[in-house]
Amino acid sequence: MNASEFISKLNSLAFDESNLHRNGFSDNYSKSLIEAFYPQKTNENSLSNNIIIQLIEEYKCACISIASSISFNEEVSETDRFVLIGWVFGEDLLAIDKSNAEIVILAYWDYDLVTFHCAANSDKFLEAFLIHGICPLDIIFEMKEDQWIYNINKANEAATAAGGGKYLKFWMALYPTDIGKSDETNKGRFLN
């Protein structure tokens, strides 16, 4: 997979704007959700062989922030050991380990402390991202247990795509959120 193939797959997962309106999402929020699936091309081809670096260098990837509380940086930066590519939960750094190309999470208080292992490499991370990063908004769960079973299944699929059981803990941590609506109005709909 290259950067343009990932963007094409991301485009195919976009929400239907009329469905968002029917489900009570404001115009502004709906627009930002839709834009997250269609990042603008900002530069010509990157010289990097790493797909995530290609994405950051070629597209406005900072808008892809709705999925699993994962967001990408506008620019790549580096430490001695890591290439910093984004954020998870708005605090911890998403990074590429230069020694083995593994995608990891670094603690916000210590850029050398790996708190999660996310994927064996960038390709596998993006495959897992497409599986578990975005969930349909029209899923309605009658019971909270059904929601958790759904999420566990998605996390297992994502961990497999990411490279195996070593990565399950990270994908399990990306639990469903209510995207700012009360339980009463949300009726189980969520974005991961």
Side-chain angles (χ1 to χ4, degrees), residues 44-187:
E44 288 307 311
N45 296 334
S46 166
L47 298 177
S48 176
N49 292 327
N50 184 290
I51 184 173
I52 293 177
I53 295 172
Q54 288 174 6
L55 282 168
I56 292 170
E57 290 179 349
E58 294 178 21
Y59 292 88
K60 186 178 176 184
C61 287
C63 74
I64 308 174
S65 61
I66 62 166
S68 298
S69 300
I70 296 168
S71 58
F72 294 100
N73 289 340
E74 289 184 23
E75 295 179 356
V76 174
S77 59
E78 296 186 37
T79 67
D80 289 339
R81 183 176 166 201
F82 299 102
V83 178
L84 308 177
I85 56 173
W87 299 88
V88 177
F89 305 123
E91 293 182 342
D92 297 320
L93 288 159
L94 183 64
I96 302 169
D97 188 328
K98 291 179 185 178
S99 69
N100 60 10
E102 187 176 45
I103 307 300
V104 296
I105 300 299
L106 307 176
Y108 69 90
W109 65 87
D110 183 351
Y111 288 10
D112 287 321
L113 177 61
V114 174
T115 58
F116 284 103
H117 297 269
C118 307
N121 58 46
S122 293
D123 288 335
K124 290 179 181 284
F125 178 80
L126 292 176
E127 289 288 341
F129 178 93
L130 291 170
I131 291 169
H132 188 51
I134 303 159
C135 292
L137 288 173
D138 57 357
I139 294 177
I140 297 176
F141 297 100
E142 296 299 321
M143 297 173 47
K144 202 70 161 164
E145 294 80 19
D146 295 337
Q147 182 178 4
W148 284 109
I149 290 168
Y150 177 88
N151 197 51
I152 288 167
N153 289 338
K154 283 291 187 184
N156 278 310
E157 285 180 56
T160 299
K166 176 180 182 180
Y167 307 108
L168 182 59
K169 184 178 175 185
F170 170 72
W171 295 101
M172 287 294 291
L174 302 176
Y175 55 89
T177 63
D178 67 5
I179 57 174
K181 293 186 171 191
S182 71
D183 285 341
E184 224 171 86
T185 58
N186 191 29
K187 297 181 182 167

